[in-house]
Amino acid sequence: LLDRFVESCRRAGVPVLLVFENALIDREGLARYNPGVRDLEVDEPFLSRWLGEYAASREISFVDIGPDFAAHLARGGAPVRWADDGHWNRTGHRIVGETILRHITAAGLLR
């Protein structure tokens, strides 16, 4: 499915930026409304690595938002999710927007 999407974009002359955010990076935040998340045994970086390798093999841009969220939270920054449902709040959306802008600018995807 990703291959078809990428090929369709290329045919249309549209640059592709694959954006990923692993919600489990904020496991404690998610566990507030879904306690079972604490008990999951997952290789959290696996999907990010896989998507990064996929993007590199297709020569498309890739950004993982997770490290930016983790760095923000490690600095004692405000929560990036609404406490009641886990979706990004205003802070989360700001970080995502800034991260995407930084990557599309660096990759020359702005025209």
Side-chain angles (χ1 to χ4, degrees):
L1 184 59
L2 278 173
D3 281 339
R4 288 190 299 195
F5 173 76
V6 169
E7 185 54 38
S8 178
C9 289
R10 285 190 171 143
R11 279 194 307 271
V14 175
V16 177
L17 172 64
L18 184 58
V19 178
F20 174 74
E21 189 264 323
N22 185 350
L24 290 177
I25 195 85
D26 186 15
R27 189 181 295 243
E28 287 306 310
L30 290 173
R32 280 192 299 269
Y33 62 90
N34 187 356
V37 167
R38 278 194 190 95
D39 301 326
L40 289 177
E41 292 184 28
V42 286
D43 176 8
E44 293 180 27
F46 169 78
L47 191 51
S48 177
R49 280 193 316 267
W50 184 87
L51 286 170
E53 291 167 4
Y54 171 86
S57 73
R58 274 46 171 206
E59 297 179 345
I60 58 176
S61 298
F62 172 73
V63 60
D64 182 351
I65 303 295
D68 291 80
F69 275 179
H72 169 80
L73 295 170
R75 290 189 304 271
V80 296
R81 301 180 193 289
W82 296 111
D84 59 342
D85 72 5
H87 287 90
W88 301 333
N89 60 21
R90 177 181 232 145
T91 301
H93 277 93
R94 179 185 50 78
I95 292 168
V96 170
E98 290 169 354
T99 302
I100 290 173
L101 178 61
R102 196 169 53 250
H103 283 270
I104 63 175
T105 301
L109 297 176
L110 289 177
R111 296 180 184 184

